[in-house]
Amino acid sequence: MIGPRLRELRVARGLSLRRLAAETGLSATLLSQIERGVTNPSLKSLRLLAGYFGQSISTLFQEEPEVLAGTSSVTTPGHRALIQVPSGRARYERLTQGNGQLEVLLGTLHPGEASSEERWSHEAVECAYVLRGELTVELGEETLVLEAGHAITLRSTIPHRYLNTGDVVTEFHVSVTPPTP
């Protein structure tokens, strides 16, 4: 889903794949594969591209929402954008359409996986709600373990990440406002 939108942004700026690669530090081969839908970009690559184009990650996805009465949108399983982070990292399914104000994701972490290699910070407020399993939250110098039904709201300017240190798959919702590149 990101391929056509990435190509649109690149062409609108008059950039070749090689030039965009030089500007972002990503390879031209990887960018070509993303544009053609051959591969999914990592979360790190999405952040680099969103930052380069001055967009939030959510605006990089080109979707056709199912609109009800012109004032809402419905997303359905199997038709949502997926954000697959490299092996050993989280998988996210976008529950919201990109509106630039709110991003709601369904996160899945298998035992031993983490949302990112290291803690990172960004300008937003974030809320995570655990649906199943246990979610370990590293926030600044703290480590918190949340069980199903627990939620945490945090200032995303504090370096943080999510981990599954348990033995079962963890599923959680994470809401971020504003969406972060």
Side-chain angles (χ1 to χ4, degrees), residues 88-91 108-114 163-170:
R89 305 289 192 289
R91 173 186 178 268
T108 303
L109 287 168
H110 290 273
E113 292 182 338
L163 304 97
N164 181 348
T165 57
D167 297 329
V168 298
V169 173
T170 297

Side-chain angles (χ1 to χ4, degrees), residues 20 30 36 50-51 60 62 69 72 74 86 89-90 111 116 118 124 126 178 181:
L20 181 57
L30 174 63
R36 291 181 289 125
L60 293 178
Q62 187 173 34
S72 63
V74 174
R89 305 289 192 289
S116 58
E118 297 181 12
E126 201 163 310

Side-chain angles (χ1 to χ4, degrees), residues 4 73 106:
S73 64
L106 172 60

